[in-house]
Every structure is written in C-alpha cells, then in structure tokens.
Amino acid sequence: PPIEKMTPTFADVWTKFLKGDKAYRDARLKMLVVCREGPWIVKKIIGKGNAPCVLGSCIPLEYYFREPTEGKKAIYEVDIVIGDSKLANNILNMVQGHTAAMTLAFGYIIEGVSDAELPEQVMCSFQVHHMHLKQCQPLPPIVLDT
C-alpha cells in the first residue's frame, strides 16, 4: 500500500529499510516458511514455521529499488541468491524431489529491534502449491524503464 495507508510504526520501519544501506537491510529482512502440506522429511527440514530467519545472515541478497516518478511506478525488489548459499542449496537439493507434493507458505518481515518498531508486521506473504519444477519456464528479462 502507499505509505500513507500503512500504520505509523510500519511506515517508519519501511522507510528506514528503504533508506538503509545493504548491511542494514541484510540485518533486518526476515523470512518465515511454513510447510502446510508435504512429506514428513520436508516438514522436518523446514521446521515448524514458528521462527523466522534473518535472510541476509545466511543467504546473499541483492536489492533493486526505484522510487516512483511521474508515469513510472516504484519498484522494490529483493533477490534471494540461493545459488551462492551452501545452506540454501543443501535444503533445495533435499526438498526438490518433493515439490509436487508440497504447499509452502512464505512470509517476509522487517525486523523491529526497538520498542518503537514493534509489533512486527508481515510485509508480504504468498503460498506455492504443488510446484512441478521441471515444467517451470525461465522468467523473461525485466525492463525497468517501462
């Protein structure tokens, strides 16, 4: 939503995140994964989904932000570079054979570290249902100037 429609607490946390440097963002962006459906081994690997992890502490992140301008929407993109993380690659290798039988829910949170930044709020969330990896098409190139 536009910043005017956010709660004051989240608007402050979001603004600090956008204006912060890479180290600040890496220390704040958290992901919570819940295996809603899937084989026991996947649930064991992913865990119970009650403790979000700070992504930048274990997986390289790349940030692409563009403020809105006349005729152009804002872009706020965070790429999770799984290929550069041994931990993420190990987890992916263990679960990729089971993806067609899984439903995973992902939530992203900006960590609040002071009382003024609490309570934390989920920034966005989505679910992936029964993904068939061999049928996935590559993403088309993104043109940022449209």
Side-chain angles (χ1 to χ4, degrees), residues 33 37-39 42 46 82 92 95-106 126-137 139:
V33 181
E37 180 183 340
V42 173
I46 292 175
I82 293 172
L92 182 60
V95 301
Q96 69 183 355
H98 304 284
T99 58
M102 295 181 339
T103 297
L104 298 177
F106 296 83
F126 63 92
Q127 289 191 63
V128 178
H129 303 275
H130 305 277
M131 186 167 53
H132 298 272
L133 292 177
K134 292 182 180 178
Q135 296 175 5
C136 293
Q137 298 294 314
L139 292 172

Side-chain angles (χ1 to χ4, degrees), residues 2-68:
I3 202 157
E4 320 62 68
K5 293 190 177 186
M6 296 176 185
T7 65
T9 300
F10 186 73
D12 182 54
V13 170
W14 176 244
T15 301
K16 288 178 186 174
F17 184 79
L18 290 178
K19 293 183 179 187
D21 62 10
K22 182 175 177 3
Y24 179 88
R25 294 177 189 145
D26 283 354
R28 295 291 188 107
L29 185 61
K30 299 193 301 188
M31 179 177 72
L32 178 65
V33 181
V34 178
C35 184
R36 300 182 53 92
E37 180 183 340
W40 70 270
I41 189 70
V42 173
K43 291 180 178 182
K44 181 79 172 164
I45 292 166
I46 292 175
K48 296 183 180 190
N50 55 5
C53 70
V54 177
L55 281 175
S57 67
C58 58
I59 300 175
L61 304 174
E62 294 179 11
Y63 302 91
Y64 303 94
F65 294 165
R66 180 179 76 193
E67 292 296 325

Side-chain angles (χ1 to χ4, degrees), residues 113-129:
V113 294
S114 68
D115 288 344
E117 296 174 334
L118 298 174
E120 294 177 341
Q121 296 178 21
V122 174
M123 179 173 55
C124 66
S125 62
F126 63 92
Q127 289 191 63
V128 178
H129 303 275

